[in-house]
């Protein structure tokens, strides 16, 4: 069964024209997929639909075989606990240290402190920031902040990682570093969907590229 | 992604306990981190409860003090300067009218003495050279007299007797007092409701500001899978604590006000020969605390539901 399956998926924001139109696409478990296209093409919109931040206007969106476009509001938190979301501006909480930022998704579920500690350290270890757990976000560099954001996204061991311009604020070297983290997670079976305009990153890392143009899926190519 | 029914397993229960413990910790740190807000809020709640609370208690207690009073009795004022002979003549004449249980005589000296017991009146009396008080006969009708009409006709006949200057039917003014007290009691409830609504509004506005300041935290928490309930919990604890502590503080304030009023209450007791003591009944205290905590919790959780819905990632 495929992990993501869109059929005739469309999104139209209230009082705006179609942001996504008739998207048909299937992503298998374990794929690393790049989502690209000009500004306003609908990349973020597709990710927001997948995270149920927005609801589709039409068509069907199946995750793991389950239709989620009409998932009741109360079920959304549970659904998101199985996702890892990474943002361009990391969105760490400034008044909590690195450890607590990464622990947030586990605290929400009421996880045992022993398990929280184990998983947070494992996640920080993977992004190479084990020594920074007592630091606050403001004390970190941009690249480190983004890595903490990634640690937070993977701490729950999600099956699917969604990243919206994760390297948008970083220089090419740091961007490549972040991408290498994604490929590492991908190699252990996590499905990764990255939206980016960065052509050099795509050239370097892409296995599969989805090209959006004015809300339509224009290309779906394997590198 | 798999659909699961919310069955409360042992593990789930433990997780829930941990979530509650975390929420409690968050709320306690919040209260301690913002001592000024905490104290101001508690003060506002306490004052809003204490004022109607005192009003209510006072009226209930004064009412209780009067309820022991035989409201069918009447005070008959004799003409000034009536001598003992005149007094006993009037007494006999009243007795002859029938339906009389007993008659008490209050001589001017007794009246003055009882008034002198009240410190405030002492100075006023000291300025009077002569004793201006008339002899008063307190007439208690017997049980055969029930209706107001019968009482009034008896009163009219007594008032018409020679040697009688004036007559006061206690029932009439007691009813007035009782109606006034009831009015005050209603007023205290209205005041309580108004203040209560004000407190709820203040709490709601406070929550709104707090949530706006923590918008990013709320959004991120939602994005990583936090439910509205998860974010609401610390606020629920804060609300319950505000309610509990605010009501307790209000009880303390009420106690203080009652203590401050105690000389006046004692004077009232002496004037009316009653023995009531203004205490805060346990039921009143418990109701105040429980109701305040509950209302605070309920209004906060409704407010939070509305406010959290407005914050979307
Ligand atoms: N909340 C919104 N309300 C109305 N219209 C929106 C909203 N968000 C996005 N849009 C519109 O939907 C279209 C797709 O936007 P989207 O953000 O998905 O593009 P994008 O590919 O992520 O662009 P960028 O590369 O600039 O991030 C755009 O035309 C945009 O104006
Ligand atoms: Mg975008």
């Amino acid at each position: 069964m495929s992990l993501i399956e869109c059929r005739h998926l469309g999104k139209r924001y209230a009082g705006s024209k179609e942001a996504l139109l008739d998207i048909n696409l299937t992503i298998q478990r374990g794929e690393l997929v790049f989502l690209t296209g000009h500004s306003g093409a609908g990349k973020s919109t597709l990710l927001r639909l997948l995270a149920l931040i927005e609801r589709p206007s039409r068509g069907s969106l199946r995750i793991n075989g389950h239709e989620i476009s009409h998932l009741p509001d109360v079920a959304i938190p549970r659904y998101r606990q199985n996702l890892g979301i990474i943002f361009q501006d990391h969105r760490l909480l400034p008044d909590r240290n690195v450890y607590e930022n990464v622990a947030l998704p586990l605290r929400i579920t009421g996880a045992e402190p022993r398990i929280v500690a184990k998983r947070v350290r494992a996640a920080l270890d993977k992004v190479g920031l084990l020594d920074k757990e007592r630091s606050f976000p403001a004390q970190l560099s941009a690249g480190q902040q983004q890595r903490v954001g990634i640690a937070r996204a993977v701490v729950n061991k999600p099956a699917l990682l969604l990243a919206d311009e994760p390297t948008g604020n970083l220089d090419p070297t740091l961007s490549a570093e972040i991408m290498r983290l994604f490929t590492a997670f991908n190699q252990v079976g996590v499905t990764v969907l990255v939206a980016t305009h960065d052509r050099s990153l795509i050239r370097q890392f892409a296995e599969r590229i989805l090209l959006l143009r004015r809300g339509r899926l224009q290309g779906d190519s394997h590198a | 992604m798999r659909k699961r029914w919310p069955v409360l397993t042992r593990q789930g229960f433990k997780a829930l306990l941990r979530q509650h413990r975390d929420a409690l910790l968050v709320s306690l740190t919040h209260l301690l981190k913002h001592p000024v807000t905490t104290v101001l809020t508690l003060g506002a709640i306490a004052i809003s409860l204490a004022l109607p609370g005192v009003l209510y208690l006072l009226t209930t207690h004064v009412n209780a003090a009067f309820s022991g009073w035989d409201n069918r009795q009447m005070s008959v004022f004799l003409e000034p300067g009536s001598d003992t002979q005149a007094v006993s003549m009037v007494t006999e004449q009243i007795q002859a009218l029938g339906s009389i249980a007993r008659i008490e005589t209050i001589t001017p000296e007794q009246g003055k003495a009882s008034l002198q017991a009240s410190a405030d009146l002492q100075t006023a009396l000291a300025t009077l050279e002569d004793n201006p008080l008339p002899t008063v006969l307190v007439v208690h009708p017997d049980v055969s007299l029930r209706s107001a009409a019968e009482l009034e006709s008896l009163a009219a006949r007594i008032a018409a007797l020679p040697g009688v200057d004036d007559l006061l039917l206690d029932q009439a003014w007691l009813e007035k007092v009782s109606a006034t007290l009831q009015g005050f009691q209603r007023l205290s409830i209205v005041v309580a409701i108004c203040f209560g609504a004000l407190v709820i509004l203040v709490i709601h506005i406070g929550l709104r500001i707090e949530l706006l300041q923590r918008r990013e935290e709320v959004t991120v928490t939602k994005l990583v899978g936090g439910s509205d309930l998860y974010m609401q919990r610390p606020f629920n604890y804060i609300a319950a604590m505000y309610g509990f502590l605010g009501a307790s503080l209000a009880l303390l304030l009420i106690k203080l006000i009652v203590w401050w009023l105690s000389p006046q209450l004692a004077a009232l007791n002496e004037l009316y020969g009653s023995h009531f003591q203004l205490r805060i009944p346990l039921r009143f205290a418990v109701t105040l605390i429980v109701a305040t905590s509950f209302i605070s919790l309920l209004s906060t959780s409704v407010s939070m539901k509305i406010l959290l819905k407005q914050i979307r990632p």
Side-chain angles (χ1 to χ4, degrees):
Chain A
M1 192 194 307
S2 35
L3 183 63
I4 302 174
E5 199 180 325
C6 308
R7 290 288 163 258
H8 309 297
L9 186 67
K11 173 64 186 176
R12 181 189 189 138
Y13 292 101
S16 177
K17 64 180 180 56
E18 312 281 340
L20 281 181
L21 265 158
D22 199 31
I23 304 288
N24 291 292
L25 123 91
T26 307
I27 294 176
Q28 301 299 334
R29 213 173 268 284
E31 280 194 84
L32 170 62
V33 182
F34 276 74
L35 191 57
T36 190
H38 290 296
S39 179
K43 304 183 291 294
S44 299
T45 302
L46 184 55
L47 293 182
R48 290 161 72 82
L49 290 182
L50 286 169
L52 280 183
I53 296 166
E54 295 289 345
R55 300 277 189 171
S57 311
R58 60 176 65 85
S60 105
L61 177 52
R62 286 172 173 269
I63 302 287
N64 235 355
H66 293 280
E67 178 63 52
I68 61 157
S69 32
H70 299 291
L71 198 70
D73 280 353
V74 288
I76 290 178
R78 192 60 176 258
Y79 170 73
R80 288 195 188 136
Q81 285 164 18
N82 292 308
L83 288 182
I85 308 178
I86 294 143
F87 314 91
Q88 178 172 351
D89 48 347
H90 63 76
R91 300 189 83 162
L92 299 176
L93 301 178
D95 57 343
R96 300 192 195 183
N97 64 23
V98 166
Y99 183 95
E100 282 307 324
N101 265 290
V102 175
L104 182 65
L106 297 170
R107 297 258 187 253
I108 284 166
T109 60
E112 237 178 280
R114 198 168 46 81
I115 291 177
V116 173
K118 208 180 88 186
R119 293 241 196 124
V120 169
R121 301 240 158 80
L124 282 174
D125 190 30
K126 279 182 201 143
V127 302
L129 287 175
L130 205 45
D131 56 330
K132 295 286 185 201
E133 64 174 34
R134 299 287 150 220
S135 304
F136 282 84
Q139 300 168 318
L140 302 177
S141 72
Q144 288 171 332
Q145 289 171 340
Q146 192 55 296
R147 273 145 66 194
V148 176
I150 293 171
R152 180 178 64 191
V154 299
V155 77
N156 251 343
K157 299 185 179 171
L160 174 62
L161 271 184
L162 303 174
D164 196 356
E165 316 265 3
T167 60
N169 293 341
L170 306 176
D171 65 36
T173 330
L174 287 176
S175 301
E177 205 177 286
I178 297 294
M179 278 315 306
R180 269 193 288 277
L181 281 176
F182 286 141
T183 44
F185 289 122
N186 179 241
Q187 267 150 24
V188 295
V190 181
T191 310
V192 182
L193 185 54
V194 183
T196 183
H197 334 254
D198 192 328
R199 286 174 192 284
S200 74
L201 279 186
I202 295 171
R203 241 179 284 122
Q204 228 178 314
F205 295 95
E207 294 175 5
R208 181 180 174 192
I209 304 159
L210 300 174
L211 176 67
L212 284 174
R213 187 170 187 156
R214 295 208 192 101
R216 290 183 187 274
L217 188 61
Q218 277 241 311
D220 183 348
S221 57
H222 288 261
Chain B
M1 303 180 198
R2 245 172 307 146
K3 208 166 189 170
R4 260 188 245 147
W5 293 106
V7 181
L8 198 57
T9 57
R10 205 181 140 80
Q11 262 180 333
F13 182 66
K14 275 187 165 171
L16 193 67
L17 278 186
R18 271 192 293 274
Q19 287 172 324
H20 274 275
R21 192 204 49 201
D22 287 354
L24 188 61
L25 273 175
V26 169
S27 58
L28 280 173
T29 18
H30 179 87
L31 291 184
L32 296 176
K33 258 193 192 163
H34 303 90
V36 177
T37 317
T38 306
V39 169
L40 284 181
T41 312
L42 286 181
I45 295 174
I47 291 169
S48 332
L49 290 174
L51 293 179
V54 165
L55 201 58
Y56 183 83
L57 278 181
L58 272 180
T59 47
T60 328
H61 277 74
V62 172
N63 215 356
F66 279 118
S67 68
W69 192 282
D70 176 8
N71 69 353
R72 295 174 312 129
Q73 76 182 31
M74 45 191 103
S75 307
V76 180
F77 300 89
L78 302 188
E79 280 165 359
S82 303
D83 55 14
T84 346
Q85 212 180 346
V87 171
S88 57
M89 207 163 85
V90 178
T91 311
E92 272 165 37
Q93 281 174 321
I94 293 175
Q95 213 98 51
L97 292 172
S99 310
I100 303 297
R102 69 199 155 82
I103 299 172
E104 286 165 49
T105 309
I106 301 172
T107 64
E109 291 71 32
Q110 284 169 326
K112 188 175 176 181
S114 94
L115 284 182
Q116 267 168 348
S118 167
D120 287 346
L121 288 170
Q122 237 164 32
T123 41
L125 286 171
T127 62
L128 298 170
E129 305 237 316
D130 297 325
N131 185 347
L133 298 174
T135 300
V136 180
L137 298 179
V138 181
V139 178
H140 297 268
D142 68 16
V143 283
S144 69
L145 270 192
R146 278 254 147 245
S147 73
E150 285 172 319
L151 268 176
E152 270 162 27
S153 100
L154 177 65
R157 278 184 288 159
I158 293 174
L161 291 174
V164 172
D165 187 26
D166 201 359
L167 181 139
L168 198 64
L169 197 54
D170 285 4
Q171 192 180 40
W173 71 265
L174 268 175
E175 267 165 10
K176 267 186 214 154
V177 168
S178 153
T180 313
L181 285 175
Q182 258 173 29
F184 272 113
Q185 220 155 23
R186 290 230 176 112
L187 183 69
S188 71
I189 290 169
V190 171
V191 170
I193 289 172
C194 291
F195 274 129
L198 201 66
V199 169
I200 289 172
L201 206 68
V202 167
I203 289 179
H204 182 83
I205 293 168
L207 285 174
R208 219 183 116 77
I209 294 168
E210 173 83 20
L211 274 184
L212 283 179
Q213 282 168 351
R214 290 167 60 178
R215 202 188 177 93
E216 178 64 7
E217 183 186 336
V218 171
T219 316
V220 169
T221 308
K222 280 192 176 194
L223 284 174
V224 300
S227 60
D228 284 5
L229 186 62
Y230 174 82
M231 278 166 282
Q232 207 178 311
R233 255 185 224 122
F235 291 94
N236 285 351
Y237 275 108
I238 290 176
M241 283 189 268
Y242 270 155
F244 180 83
L245 295 175
S248 308
L249 198 64
L251 286 173
L252 216 69
L253 263 179
I254 293 174
K255 193 109 191 124
L256 214 70
I257 296 172
V258 166
W259 172 79
W260 182 65
L261 284 177
S262 59
Q264 275 70 26
L265 293 171
L268 199 71
N269 268 350
E270 264 156 30
L271 275 178
Y272 293 102
S274 49
H275 302 283
F276 76 91
Q277 282 256 311
L278 186 46
R279 285 220 184 82
I280 303 174
L282 186 66
R283 225 182 67 173
F284 177 85
V286 171
T287 310
L288 190 72
I289 288 179
V290 171
T292 310
S293 308
F294 180 72
I295 291 171
S296 168
L297 181 63
L298 189 73
S299 62
T300 298
S301 95
V302 171
S303 278
M304 284 292 288
K305 282 221 161 65
I306 296 167
L307 293 169
L308 282 172
K309 275 252 145 56
Q310 290 169 359
I311 299 184
R312 290 175 30 92

